[in-house]
């Protein structure tokens, strides 16, 4: 828990634009003569108020305590977008040692309560118009369920 507070403070009080996924890709490409293996220590997820961490981790092929593969990370981001639960996903590597990173995933959740207007004309008679509404509740329990 204290590490989350420290990371939150770090992101609020520093300019983290240099720690984007493109920066990590550039870091790997600079050492093309060497075989660079980047170890992922932890994966930290922020911004998910409704969606549970398990849903996000379930969609990811990148795991903690493993070697980073940029292509797998790109596929992970695509899978998370395909869930339809998030409007924005940022992935930032946070260096914690030599060739050792924490991956910080920041998500913005989409709107989950969707009102649906209903208009019905009975027996093709415009004097018998029925009006109503329905509500679609996506990501009901935080596990990507629809009610």
């Amino acid at each position: 828990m204290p590490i989350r507070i420290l990371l939150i403070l770090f992101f609020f009080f520093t300019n983290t634009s240099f720690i984007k996924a493109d920066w990590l890709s550039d870091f790997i490409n600079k050492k093309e003569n060497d075989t660079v293996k980047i170890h992922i220590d932890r994966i930290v997820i922020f911004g998910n108020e409704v969606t549970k961490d398990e849903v996000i981790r379930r969609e990811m092929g990148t795991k903690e305590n493993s070697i980073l593969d940029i292509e797998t990370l790109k596929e992970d981001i695509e899978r998370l977008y395909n869930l339809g639960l998030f409007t924005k996903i940022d992935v930032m590597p946070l260096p914690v040692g030599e060739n050792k990173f924490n991956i910080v995933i920041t998500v913005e959740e989409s709107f989950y309560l969707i009102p649906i207007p209903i208009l019905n004309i009975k027996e093709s008679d415009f004097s018998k118009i029925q009006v109503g509404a329905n509500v679609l509740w996506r990501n009901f329990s935080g596990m990507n369920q629809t009610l």
Side-chain angles (χ1 to χ4, degrees), residues 36-49:
V36 177
K37 292 189 178 181
I38 300 209
H39 183 266
I40 299 171
D41 188 38
R42 292 187 59 196
I43 298 175
V44 183
I45 303 168
F46 288 111
N48 52 329
E49 295 176 12

Side-chain angles (χ1 to χ4, degrees), residues 116-138:
I116 302 171
I118 298 171
L119 178 66
N120 190 11
I121 301 172
K122 266 190 146 180
E123 301 170 1
S124 298
D125 186 4
F126 284 103
S127 64
K128 297 180 181 178
I129 295 178
Q130 296 176 335
V131 179
N134 197 356
V135 176
L136 180 66
W137 189 350
R138 297 181 57 232

Side-chain angles (χ1 to χ4, degrees), residues 20-27 91:
K20 294 286 185 192
D22 295 335
W23 175 83
L24 184 60
S25 181
D26 292 342
F27 175 76
V91 177

Side-chain angles (χ1 to χ4, degrees), residues 102-120:
N102 285 344
I103 301 295
V104 179
I105 299 173
T106 308
V107 296
E108 285 184 17
E109 294 181 311
S110 62
F111 191 64
Y112 296 125
L113 289 174
I114 303 169
I116 302 171
I118 298 171
L119 178 66
N120 190 11

